[in-house]
Amino acid sequence: MTVVGLTGGIGSGKTTVAKVFQALGIPVYIADDEAKKLMNRSKVIKRKLIALFGENAYVDDKLNRPFLADIIFNDKTYLEQMNTIVHPRVARHFEKWLKKQHAPYVIKEVAILFENGGHKKCDYVITVTAPKALRIKRLLKRETTSKEKIEAVMKNQWSDSEKLKLSDFVIVNKTLENTELQVKKVHAQILKKIA
């Protein structure tokens, strides 16, 4: 099964692009969503995160995301430690999911695909980009956060120029109409490559 990694900086529109691929009948695995589910479901992950961050890591048995975000985006070592707890389990979950898919290829959407070396496990990589100002505007509309917090997250991610050097395809996500056309074009190119 061909695995196509889908990545892009925060606010670039990975989710929008993923939905267009889904509409074309391509199964999409959203690693961040699965990670969140596992962080709430897995007793092992819970135990390890509480050991790392303290009792405040969970409130009413649910992951305390604002509390963790404040810590991990201000201290990279905590972010790395959390990733070593969560990522291996997400990888195993993805392998199980992959075995159940019946499509020409699958999309694996990962925010930090390059940062964690995940691109090496993909056959192809698509990077979604958008101008920084547009990304910030989207995020401020979507989430209750500040421009400073968004920029702190952006600092922890690779720049677009670094990502593009290692990408097979690039989708510039400014307008939905144009993005849909680009996705269809990339979809056709992938089908051609794996035929």
Side-chain angles (χ1 to χ4, degrees), residues 70-83:
D70 269 351
I71 296 171
I72 62 175
F73 291 118
N74 292 309
D75 188 337
K76 256 188 161 157
T77 54
Y78 275 114
L79 177 64
E80 285 160 13
Q81 286 174 294
M82 187 178 89
N83 287 342

Side-chain angles (χ1 to χ4, degrees), residues 88-131:
R89 282 174 179 80
V90 175
R92 283 203 294 275
H93 186 268
F94 172 72
E95 290 307 323
K96 282 182 191 164
W97 175 86
L98 189 61
K99 287 183 178 123
K100 296 175 192 160
Q101 304 313 312
H102 306 284
Y105 67 95
V106 300
I107 293 279
K108 184 180 186 183
E109 193 242 79
V110 185
I112 54 168
L113 186 73
F114 292 114
E115 292 86 337
N116 69 22
H119 62 291
K120 293 174 189 145
K121 293 184 182 130
C122 298
D123 298 288
Y124 302 104
V125 174
I126 302 166
T127 294
V128 182
T129 69

Side-chain angles (χ1 to χ4, degrees), residues 120-186:
K120 293 174 189 145
K121 293 184 182 130
C122 298
D123 298 288
Y124 302 104
V125 174
I126 302 166
T127 294
V128 182
T129 69
K132 188 178 175 183
L134 179 59
R135 290 165 58 192
I136 291 170
K137 192 174 148 192
R138 283 174 183 158
L139 291 161
L140 289 172
K141 208 164 29 174
R142 189 175 82 192
E143 293 169 29
T144 49
T145 188
S146 66
K147 191 176 176 203
E148 293 72 37
K149 278 189 177 163
I150 293 167
E151 288 183 336
V153 173
M154 286 178 168
K155 272 193 198 106
N156 275 314
Q157 297 181 333
W158 281 22
S159 68
D160 282 349
S161 58
E162 288 175 286
K163 289 175 189 165
L164 297 185
K165 286 177 204 157
L166 297 169
S167 301
D168 300 284
F169 305 99
V170 179
I171 290 172
V172 181
N173 180 24
K174 289 182 188 171
T175 68
L176 183 60
E177 199 179 6
N178 188 263
T179 298
E180 284 175 347
L181 290 172
Q182 291 177 73
V183 171
K184 285 174 183 163
K185 203 169 159 185
V186 169

Side-chain angles (χ1 to χ4, degrees), residues 39-79:
M39 287 159 101
N40 280 312
R41 257 192 339 237
S42 163
K43 287 185 175 76
V44 178
I45 290 177
K46 267 187 194 176
R47 200 174 57 239
K48 288 184 175 182
L49 290 180
I50 290 168
L52 179 62
F53 296 107
E55 293 297 325
N56 290 336
Y58 287 84
V59 174
D60 300 325
D61 215 29
K62 286 269 172 262
L63 189 69
N64 185 352
R65 289 180 55 206
F67 170 77
L68 290 185
D70 269 351
I71 296 171
I72 62 175
F73 291 118
N74 292 309
D75 188 337
K76 256 188 161 157
T77 54
Y78 275 114
L79 177 64

